[in-house]
Amino acid sequence: MTLDALIAGVGAWFAAALPDHGIYALMAFAFIAGLARGFSGFGAALIFIPLGGAIVGPKLISPILLVIDGIATLGMIPPAWRGANRPEVFVMAAGAALGVPAGTAMLALLDPMLLRWSITIIAISLLALLVSGWRYHGEASAPLTSGVGLIAGLFSGAAQLGGPPVVAYWLGGKSDFTRVRANVVLYFSISSVFSAISYYIGGLFVPAVFALTVVILPSYVVGLYGGSKLFGLAKERTFRIACYILIAASAIIGMPLLDSVLR
């Protein structure tokens, strides 16, 4: 096979794998999601999954976010490793090892429309949990920490929405926001490995996932970089409120009833 034929073949595969609409919207959503993720260490899924799922469906958007986030956040892992409470993160990840496969089974088997409504309800519920200001203020224990990891893993496997339970739990402790952010980043770097294995076994890594990753990844990386810079400059409360507003808007606009807004 000649080089020209190879290039033509790759181009044809790439064009066939991409959806016929919504590419630019997905790029914009990825930038906003990356901005939230870079600042707080989480939040990308609460923005990207409801909105992106309205365009390409939940069974495609979840593995896309897993791949682009896994690639884009590699540089965040070394500082998170140094700043995190590693024993506690590992205990929580042990719970996620059980929750992620169960959530992935739900993603692979549930009806797409039912899954989208479920994602909308979960996203709004988790946002309400964060906005309420509720935090767990009891004593941390290994069984409780692994239990939170189990719930977060279930949400991550089904829709990459495992951040809020983890954050609500860790913010209630004695750690400052910097330590919590490091814990969250390190935890998700581990749980993403579990998700990747489960998604592969579940047959969710279809060609469109990798084609869209190539297109969307640059926007997500730019947003991630901007959010990381804002973490050192912006007031935590101001950006937290902005993230809440974006998450709420994403959950509402991503509802199946409003598909015409995004198509």
Side-chain angles (χ1 to χ4, degrees):
M1 178 182 292
T2 64
L3 179 60
D4 289 342
L6 178 61
I7 294 175
V10 171
W13 171 87
F14 190 77
L18 290 175
D20 56 5
H21 68 281
I23 299 294
Y24 295 115
L26 287 172
M27 292 170 64
F29 300 153
F31 170 77
I32 297 170
L35 200 64
R37 174 79 155 97
F39 180 84
S40 65
F42 79 105
L46 283 166
I47 294 170
F48 191 64
I49 295 297
L51 292 175
I55 296 175
V56 298
K59 293 185 180 180
L60 187 56
I61 204 65
S62 289
I64 288 172
L65 180 61
L66 175 66
V67 175
I68 65 173
D69 187 74
I71 295 172
T73 59
L74 286 174
M76 298 172 67
I77 296 175
W81 176 267
R82 294 189 295 268
N85 182 336
R86 293 192 292 271
E88 193 170 14
V89 170
F90 294 153
V91 170
M92 185 170 286
L98 299 177
V100 167
T104 301
M106 294 172 58
L107 176 62
L109 299 175
L110 286 181
D111 174 76
M113 189 59 67
L114 174 61
L115 189 60
R116 282 188 57 200
W117 275 114
S118 299
I119 289 171
T120 296
I121 293 170
I122 291 172
I124 292 174
S125 300
L126 294 177
L127 174 61
L129 173 67
L130 293 174
V131 172
S132 71
W134 182 88
R135 302 290 184 262
Y136 175 75
H137 294 291
E139 290 296 324
S141 65
L144 182 59
T145 302
S146 61
V148 173
L150 176 66
I151 296 171
L154 183 67
F155 289 169
S156 290
Q160 296 299 301
L161 290 171
V166 173
V167 173
Y169 177 69
W170 268 328
L171 280 180
K174 299 178 180 179
S175 300
D176 60 20
F177 188 68
T178 302
R179 172 59 65 87
V180 170
R181 181 177 181 271
N183 283 355
V184 170
V185 171
L186 182 59
Y187 164 77
F188 279 110
S189 69
I190 298 172
S191 68
S192 292
V193 175
F194 302 151
S195 293
I197 295 171
S198 297
Y199 283 14
Y200 176 78
I201 294 173
L204 296 172
F205 286 129
V206 296
V209 169
F210 302 104
L212 281 168
T213 293
V214 174
V215 174
I216 296 172
L217 181 60
S219 297
Y220 190 76
V221 169
V222 171
L224 194 72
Y225 178 79
S228 297
K229 292 298 182 183
L230 285 173
F231 177 69
L233 299 176
K235 293 182 179 179
E236 177 186 332
R237 174 170 159 56
T238 301
F239 201 86
R240 189 191 296 268
I241 292 173
C243 286
Y244 290 163
I245 293 172
L246 289 171
I247 291 167
S250 300
I252 293 171
I253 296 174
M255 294 171 62
L257 287 175
L258 300 178
D259 280 356
S260 60
V261 175
L262 299 176
R263 295 185 177 181

mmCIF file of all heavy atoms in Angstrom, residues 156-191:
data_model
loop_
_atom_site.group_PDB
_atom_site.id
_atom_site.type_symbol
_atom_site.label_atom_id
_atom_site.label_comp_id
_atom_site.label_asym_id
_atom_site.label_seq_id
_atom_site.Cartn_x
_atom_site.Cartn_y
_atom_site.Cartn_z
ATOM 1 N N SER A 156 -19.197 7.027 38.065
ATOM 2 C CA SER A 156 -18.160 7.204 37.042
ATOM 3 C C SER A 156 -18.328 6.201 35.913
ATOM 4 O O SER A 156 -18.198 6.542 34.732
ATOM 5 C CB SER A 156 -16.771 7.050 37.667
ATOM 6 O OG SER A 156 -16.464 8.131 38.516
ATOM 7 N N GLY A 157 -18.589 4.944 36.263
ATOM 8 C CA GLY A 157 -18.759 3.929 35.233
ATOM 9 C C GLY A 157 -19.948 4.203 34.349
ATOM 10 O O GLY A 157 -19.903 4.005 33.131
ATOM 11 N N ALA A 158 -21.043 4.712 34.933
ATOM 12 C CA ALA A 158 -22.269 4.948 34.175
ATOM 13 C C ALA A 158 -22.211 6.230 33.360
ATOM 14 O O ALA A 158 -22.767 6.295 32.257
ATOM 15 C CB ALA A 158 -23.473 4.993 35.116
ATOM 16 N N ALA A 159 -21.546 7.281 33.891
ATOM 17 C CA ALA A 159 -21.592 8.570 33.193
ATOM 18 C C ALA A 159 -20.429 9.492 33.521
ATOM 19 O O ALA A 159 -20.514 10.687 33.268
ATOM 20 C CB ALA A 159 -22.910 9.287 33.528
ATOM 21 N N GLN A 160 -19.345 8.979 34.099
ATOM 22 C CA GLN A 160 -18.201 9.808 34.473
ATOM 23 C C GLN A 160 -18.608 10.934 35.426
ATOM 24 O O GLN A 160 -18.075 12.040 35.375
ATOM 25 C CB GLN A 160 -17.530 10.394 33.223
ATOM 26 C CG GLN A 160 -16.930 9.360 32.288
ATOM 27 C CD GLN A 160 -15.836 8.530 32.961
ATOM 28 O OE1 GLN A 160 -14.846 9.064 33.422
ATOM 29 N NE2 GLN A 160 -16.033 7.230 33.008
ATOM 30 N N LEU A 161 -19.567 10.657 36.326
ATOM 31 C CA LEU A 161 -20.093 11.667 37.241
ATOM 32 C C LEU A 161 -19.721 11.388 38.692
ATOM 33 O O LEU A 161 -20.498 11.636 39.604
ATOM 34 C CB LEU A 161 -21.627 11.741 37.113
ATOM 35 C CG LEU A 161 -22.178 12.341 35.814
ATOM 36 C CD1 LEU A 161 -23.686 12.151 35.742
ATOM 37 C CD2 LEU A 161 -21.826 13.816 35.721
ATOM 38 N N GLY A 162 -18.538 10.879 38.922
ATOM 39 C CA GLY A 162 -18.164 10.485 40.269
ATOM 40 C C GLY A 162 -17.584 11.580 41.141
ATOM 41 O O GLY A 162 -17.297 11.347 42.315
ATOM 42 N N GLY A 163 -17.413 12.797 40.624
ATOM 43 C CA GLY A 163 -16.745 13.855 41.369
ATOM 44 C C GLY A 163 -17.463 14.360 42.609
ATOM 45 O O GLY A 163 -16.876 14.427 43.696
ATOM 46 N N PRO A 164 -18.745 14.754 42.510
ATOM 47 C CA PRO A 164 -19.409 15.378 43.659
ATOM 48 C C PRO A 164 -19.429 14.555 44.937
ATOM 49 O O PRO A 164 -19.179 15.115 46.014
ATOM 50 C CB PRO A 164 -20.829 15.647 43.120
ATOM 51 C CG PRO A 164 -20.615 15.868 41.661
ATOM 52 C CD PRO A 164 -19.553 14.882 41.282
ATOM 53 N N PRO A 165 -19.722 13.242 44.922
ATOM 54 C CA PRO A 165 -19.682 12.504 46.192
ATOM 55 C C PRO A 165 -18.296 12.545 46.846
ATOM 56 O O PRO A 165 -18.181 12.668 48.073
ATOM 57 C CB PRO A 165 -20.052 11.067 45.784
ATOM 58 C CG PRO A 165 -20.778 11.203 44.500
ATOM 59 C CD PRO A 165 -20.162 12.370 43.812
ATOM 60 N N VAL A 166 -17.266 12.453 46.004
ATOM 61 C CA VAL A 166 -15.894 12.471 46.516
ATOM 62 C C VAL A 166 -15.562 13.830 47.122
ATOM 63 O O VAL A 166 -15.001 13.928 48.222
ATOM 64 C CB VAL A 166 -14.905 12.130 45.378
ATOM 65 C CG1 VAL A 166 -13.464 12.305 45.835
ATOM 66 C CG2 VAL A 166 -15.135 10.710 44.879
ATOM 67 N N VAL A 167 -15.921 14.898 46.419
ATOM 68 C CA VAL A 167 -15.615 16.242 46.883
ATOM 69 C C VAL A 167 -16.387 16.569 48.160
ATOM 70 O O VAL A 167 -15.835 17.136 49.110
ATOM 71 C CB VAL A 167 -15.926 17.271 45.778
ATOM 72 C CG1 VAL A 167 -15.784 18.694 46.310
ATOM 73 C CG2 VAL A 167 -14.990 17.064 44.592
ATOM 74 N N ALA A 168 -17.679 16.225 48.189
ATOM 75 C CA ALA A 168 -18.486 16.502 49.372
ATOM 76 C C ALA A 168 -17.921 15.790 50.605
ATOM 77 O O ALA A 168 -17.968 16.316 51.718
ATOM 78 C CB ALA A 168 -19.934 16.073 49.135
ATOM 79 N N TYR A 169 -17.386 14.612 50.392
ATOM 80 C CA TYR A 169 -16.807 13.844 51.504
ATOM 81 C C TYR A 169 -15.493 14.456 51.969
ATOM 82 O O TYR A 169 -15.293 14.687 53.175
ATOM 83 C CB TYR A 169 -16.600 12.403 51.056
ATOM 84 C CG TYR A 169 -15.943 11.515 52.084
ATOM 85 C CD1 TYR A 169 -16.605 11.163 53.247
ATOM 86 C CD2 TYR A 169 -14.652 11.023 51.880
ATOM 87 C CE1 TYR A 169 -16.006 10.333 54.195
ATOM 88 C CE2 TYR A 169 -14.048 10.196 52.817
ATOM 89 C CZ TYR A 169 -14.729 9.855 53.970
ATOM 90 O OH TYR A 169 -14.130 9.040 54.900
ATOM 91 N N TRP A 170 -14.599 14.751 51.035
ATOM 92 C CA TRP A 170 -13.277 15.240 51.420
ATOM 93 C C TRP A 170 -13.284 16.685 51.903
ATOM 94 O O TRP A 170 -12.472 17.063 52.754
ATOM 95 C CB TRP A 170 -12.297 15.064 50.264
ATOM 96 C CG TRP A 170 -11.564 13.751 50.335
ATOM 97 C CD1 TRP A 170 -11.211 13.070 51.458
ATOM 98 C CD2 TRP A 170 -11.114 12.958 49.231
ATOM 99 N NE1 TRP A 170 -10.561 11.905 51.126
ATOM 100 C CE2 TRP A 170 -10.488 11.809 49.767
ATOM 101 C CE3 TRP A 170 -11.170 13.100 47.846
ATOM 102 C CZ2 TRP A 170 -9.915 10.825 48.971
ATOM 103 C CZ3 TRP A 170 -10.606 12.122 47.051
ATOM 104 C CH2 TRP A 170 -9.984 10.988 47.602
ATOM 105 N N LEU A 171 -14.178 17.518 51.383
ATOM 106 C CA LEU A 171 -14.218 18.905 51.829
ATOM 107 C C LEU A 171 -14.702 19.034 53.271
ATOM 108 O O LEU A 171 -14.491 20.063 53.911
ATOM 109 C CB LEU A 171 -15.123 19.742 50.917
ATOM 110 C CG LEU A 171 -14.518 20.215 49.600
ATOM 111 C CD1 LEU A 171 -15.535 21.028 48.814
ATOM 112 C CD2 LEU A 171 -13.245 21.033 49.813
ATOM 113 N N GLY A 172 -15.360 17.992 53.773
ATOM 114 C CA GLY A 172 -15.831 18.053 55.147
ATOM 115 C C GLY A 172 -14.760 17.752 56.172
ATOM 116 O O GLY A 172 -14.968 17.942 57.370
ATOM 117 N N GLY A 173 -13.618 17.278 55.726
ATOM 118 C CA GLY A 173 -12.536 16.949 56.644
ATOM 119 C C GLY A 173 -11.696 18.155 56.997
ATOM 120 O O GLY A 173 -12.087 19.304 56.810
ATOM 121 N N LYS A 174 -10.515 17.884 57.483
ATOM 122 C CA LYS A 174 -9.631 18.953 57.938
ATOM 123 C C LYS A 174 -8.684 19.453 56.845
ATOM 124 O O LYS A 174 -7.917 20.386 57.067
ATOM 125 C CB LYS A 174 -8.815 18.462 59.140
ATOM 126 C CG LYS A 174 -9.678 18.075 60.338
ATOM 127 C CD LYS A 174 -8.831 17.556 61.488
ATOM 128 C CE LYS A 174 -9.696 17.176 62.681
ATOM 129 N NZ LYS A 174 -8.885 16.636 63.810
ATOM 130 N N SER A 175 -8.729 18.813 55.668
ATOM 131 C CA SER A 175 -7.827 19.207 54.584
ATOM 132 C C SER A 175 -8.278 20.517 53.949
ATOM 133 O O SER A 175 -9.482 20.796 53.859
ATOM 134 C CB SER A 175 -7.786 18.116 53.509
ATOM 135 O OG SER A 175 -7.331 16.892 54.044
ATOM 136 N N ASP A 176 -7.316 21.337 53.525
ATOM 137 C CA ASP A 176 -7.669 22.551 52.816
ATOM 138 C C ASP A 176 -8.004 22.226 51.364
ATOM 139 O O ASP A 176 -7.869 21.088 50.910
ATOM 140 C CB ASP A 176 -6.546 23.590 52.901
ATOM 141 C CG ASP A 176 -5.229 23.097 52.304
ATOM 142 O OD1 ASP A 176 -5.239 22.143 51.502
ATOM 143 O OD2 ASP A 176 -4.177 23.663 52.664
ATOM 144 N N PHE A 177 -8.431 23.272 50.619
ATOM 145 C CA PHE A 177 -8.892 23.055 49.253
ATOM 146 C C PHE A 177 -7.774 22.513 48.362
ATOM 147 O O PHE A 177 -8.015 21.708 47.457
ATOM 148 C CB PHE A 177 -9.444 24.368 48.675
ATOM 149 C CG PHE A 177 -10.112 24.210 47.337
ATOM 150 C CD1 PHE A 177 -11.309 23.519 47.226
ATOM 151 C CD2 PHE A 177 -9.533 24.747 46.190
ATOM 152 C CE1 PHE A 177 -11.924 23.371 46.002
ATOM 153 C CE2 PHE A 177 -10.151 24.606 44.954
ATOM 154 C CZ PHE A 177 -11.347 23.924 44.863
ATOM 155 N N THR A 178 -6.548 22.928 48.607
ATOM 156 C CA THR A 178 -5.424 22.454 47.803
ATOM 157 C C THR A 178 -5.214 20.955 47.986
ATOM 158 O O THR A 178 -4.992 20.221 47.006
ATOM 159 C CB THR A 178 -4.134 23.208 48.189
ATOM 160 O OG1 THR A 178 -4.334 24.609 47.996
ATOM 161 C CG2 THR A 178 -2.966 22.739 47.334
ATOM 162 N N ARG A 179 -5.290 20.468 49.206
ATOM 163 C CA ARG A 179 -5.136 19.037 49.463
ATOM 164 C C ARG A 179 -6.310 18.257 48.865
ATOM 165 O O ARG A 179 -6.122 17.185 48.280
ATOM 166 C CB ARG A 179 -5.041 18.788 50.972
ATOM 167 C CG ARG A 179 -5.068 17.315 51.398
ATOM 168 C CD ARG A 179 -3.925 16.509 50.782
ATOM 169 N NE ARG A 179 -2.629 16.935 51.241
ATOM 170 C CZ ARG A 179 -2.029 16.479 52.345
ATOM 171 N NH1 ARG A 179 -2.637 15.578 53.104
ATOM 172 N NH2 ARG A 179 -0.844 16.924 52.686
ATOM 173 N N VAL A 180 -7.511 18.800 49.016
ATOM 174 C CA VAL A 180 -8.690 18.134 48.452
ATOM 175 C C VAL A 180 -8.554 18.015 46.941
ATOM 176 O O VAL A 180 -8.845 16.966 46.353
ATOM 177 C CB VAL A 180 -9.979 18.897 48.820
ATOM 178 C CG1 VAL A 180 -11.172 18.348 48.037
ATOM 179 C CG2 VAL A 180 -10.242 18.795 50.312
ATOM 180 N N ARG A 181 -8.125 19.095 46.304
ATOM 181 C CA ARG A 181 -7.954 19.075 44.842
ATOM 182 C C ARG A 181 -6.935 18.013 44.443
ATOM 183 O O ARG A 181 -7.133 17.268 43.479
ATOM 184 C CB ARG A 181 -7.502 20.449 44.346
ATOM 185 C CG ARG A 181 -7.313 20.561 42.832
ATOM 186 C CD ARG A 181 -6.937 22.006 42.492
ATOM 187 N NE ARG A 181 -6.755 22.208 41.072
ATOM 188 C CZ ARG A 181 -5.605 22.044 40.436
ATOM 189 N NH1 ARG A 181 -4.525 21.633 41.128
ATOM 190 N NH2 ARG A 181 -5.500 22.265 39.135
ATOM 191 N N ALA A 182 -5.825 17.911 45.167
ATOM 192 C CA ALA A 182 -4.811 16.900 44.878
ATOM 193 C C ALA A 182 -5.381 15.492 45.059
ATOM 194 O O ALA A 182 -5.132 14.589 44.245
ATOM 195 C CB ALA A 182 -3.591 17.102 45.769
ATOM 196 N N ASN A 183 -6.152 15.296 46.132
ATOM 197 C CA ASN A 183 -6.789 13.999 46.358
ATOM 198 C C ASN A 183 -7.707 13.620 45.194
ATOM 199 O O ASN A 183 -7.697 12.479 44.705
ATOM 200 C CB ASN A 183 -7.625 14.034 47.641
ATOM 201 C CG ASN A 183 -6.791 13.947 48.902
ATOM 202 O OD1 ASN A 183 -5.579 13.770 48.842
ATOM 203 N ND2 ASN A 183 -7.434 14.081 50.047
ATOM 204 N N VAL A 184 -8.516 14.591 44.755
ATOM 205 C CA VAL A 184 -9.486 14.334 43.683
ATOM 206 C C VAL A 184 -8.766 13.978 42.389
ATOM 207 O O VAL A 184 -9.138 13.026 41.688
ATOM 208 C CB VAL A 184 -10.399 15.562 43.487
ATOM 209 C CG1 VAL A 184 -11.241 15.411 42.219
ATOM 210 C CG2 VAL A 184 -11.296 15.750 44.695
ATOM 211 N N VAL A 185 -7.731 14.746 42.048
ATOM 212 C CA VAL A 185 -6.989 14.485 40.807
ATOM 213 C C VAL A 185 -6.354 13.104 40.842
ATOM 214 O O VAL A 185 -6.437 12.333 39.865
ATOM 215 C CB VAL A 185 -5.920 15.574 40.582
ATOM 216 C CG1 VAL A 185 -4.999 15.186 39.420
ATOM 217 C CG2 VAL A 185 -6.583 16.925 40.305
ATOM 218 N N LEU A 186 -5.716 12.754 41.951
ATOM 219 C CA LEU A 186 -5.066 11.447 42.042
ATOM 220 C C LEU A 186 -6.094 10.325 42.036
ATOM 221 O O LEU A 186 -5.896 9.299 41.365
ATOM 222 C CB LEU A 186 -4.223 11.380 43.323
ATOM 223 C CG LEU A 186 -3.438 10.065 43.526
ATOM 224 C CD1 LEU A 186 -2.477 9.824 42.356
ATOM 225 C CD2 LEU A 186 -2.680 10.098 44.850
ATOM 226 N N TYR A 187 -7.193 10.503 42.759
ATOM 227 C CA TYR A 187 -8.235 9.467 42.790
ATOM 228 C C TYR A 187 -8.756 9.190 41.387
ATOM 229 O O TYR A 187 -8.897 8.027 40.977
ATOM 230 C CB TYR A 187 -9.385 9.905 43.705
ATOM 231 C CG TYR A 187 -10.630 9.096 43.481
ATOM 232 C CD1 TYR A 187 -10.750 7.799 43.983
ATOM 233 C CD2 TYR A 187 -11.694 9.611 42.730
ATOM 234 C CE1 TYR A 187 -11.886 7.044 43.752
ATOM 235 C CE2 TYR A 187 -12.833 8.862 42.502
ATOM 236 C CZ TYR A 187 -12.914 7.579 43.004
ATOM 237 O OH TYR A 187 -14.043 6.830 42.756
ATOM 238 N N PHE A 188 -9.052 10.250 40.621
ATOM 239 C CA PHE A 188 -9.622 10.036 39.289
ATOM 240 C C PHE A 188 -8.598 9.494 38.293
ATOM 241 O O PHE A 188 -8.976 8.843 37.325
ATOM 242 C CB PHE A 188 -10.282 11.313 38.769
ATOM 243 C CG PHE A 188 -11.657 11.510 39.324
ATOM 244 C CD1 PHE A 188 -11.915 12.517 40.223
ATOM 245 C CD2 PHE A 188 -12.682 10.650 38.990
ATOM 246 C CE1 PHE A 188 -13.170 12.678 40.770
ATOM 247 C CE2 PHE A 188 -13.949 10.799 39.523
ATOM 248 C CZ PHE A 188 -14.192 11.823 40.417
ATOM 249 N N SER A 189 -7.318 9.747 38.526
ATOM 250 C CA SER A 189 -6.319 9.127 37.659
ATOM 251 C C SER A 189 -6.317 7.614 37.851
ATOM 252 O O SER A 189 -6.062 6.853 36.908
ATOM 253 C CB SER A 189 -4.932 9.715 37.959
ATOM 254 O OG SER A 189 -4.471 9.300 39.240
ATOM 255 N N ILE A 190 -6.632 7.168 39.063
ATOM 256 C CA ILE A 190 -6.695 5.727 39.340
ATOM 257 C C ILE A 190 -8.017 5.135 38.860
ATOM 258 O O ILE A 190 -8.050 4.110 38.173
ATOM 259 C CB ILE A 190 -6.515 5.457 40.848
ATOM 260 C CG1 ILE A 190 -5.148 5.940 41.316
ATOM 261 C CG2 ILE A 190 -6.671 3.962 41.145
ATOM 262 C CD1 ILE A 190 -4.958 5.898 42.822
ATOM 263 N N SER A 191 -9.132 5.801 39.193
ATOM 264 C CA SER A 191 -10.440 5.261 38.816
ATOM 265 C C SER A 191 -10.625 5.260 37.295
ATOM 266 O O SER A 191 -11.377 4.432 36.766
ATOM 267 C CB SER A 191 -11.563 6.058 39.484
ATOM 268 O OG SER A 191 -11.647 7.368 38.971
#
